[in-house]
Amino acid sequence: MLRTLILVLGVLVALLLLLIAIGYALPIGHVATRETRLGAPPERVFEVLREVEKFPAWRSDVKSVEVLATTPALRWRERGDNDITFEMETVEAPRKIVTRIADKTLAFGGSWTYELSPQDGGTRLVITENGEVYNPLFRFMSRFVFGHTATIEKYLDDLGRHLR
C-alpha cells in the first residue's frame, strides 16, 4: 500500500516536472488572431469597444469595471474571472484600438489590437493578441490545454450576441 502510494506520487511529480520542462521550452511570446463579421456598422462596434464601463452588461467574464483614469490614456480594472488592469494605448476612431494589460504582477501580459473595417453593411473585426505567458506551467496549459485563442473567441461570441 505505502509502496503504491509512493509510486503514484513519484509518477505525478515526474509528470508535473515534465510539463514544467515543456513549458520552459516554449516561447514566452505568442501571436493569436481571430476575426468575425458583425451586423453593426464600424462606428457602433467601435463605440461598444470603447465603453469599458458597460462591459459587465455584455461580457460573460466581467462582473464589474472600475475606471481608474481617463488621461493620458483610458485605464480600467475588470473584475470577474480574473481581476486585471488594462490601458487603452491607441485609439483611431472608428478603425483601430490597442489595449494592453497594465498589471505587471500577473503570470501573463500583452496587448490586443482591434482592427475594424466596413464589410457588407456591417463590420469586419480582427483581434490580434500579442501575448506573453511568464509562468512555464501556465505557458504549457495556455498552449496545449486552453489554446491561445480561447479568450478572443469568448470575447467575440459575447460581442456578437450583444450586437444582434
Side-chain angles (χ1 to χ4, degrees), residues 27-52:
I28 291 172
H30 66 270
V31 177
T33 300
R34 286 292 181 261
E35 70 177 76
T36 193
R37 190 203 167 278
L38 301 161
E43 295 78 15
R44 173 67 181 126
V45 176
F46 188 86
E47 178 185 338
V48 169
L49 299 178
R50 287 268 299 150
E51 293 174 329
V52 300

Side-chain angles (χ1 to χ4, degrees), residues 28 68 75-87 100-111 129 131-136 138-139 151:
I28 291 172
L68 304 173
R75 189 177 178 98
W76 72 98
R77 175 174 296 264
E78 294 179 4
R79 299 186 190 281
D81 291 352
N82 294 296
D83 287 358
I84 303 174
T85 300
F86 293 91
E87 186 170 287
R100 175 168 304 282
I101 293 175
D103 189 341
K104 304 296 183 197
T105 65
L106 299 173
F108 53 89
S111 67
E129 174 180 285
E132 301 167 346
V133 183
Y134 311 117
N135 179 296
F138 190 60
R139 194 159 50 236
T151 304

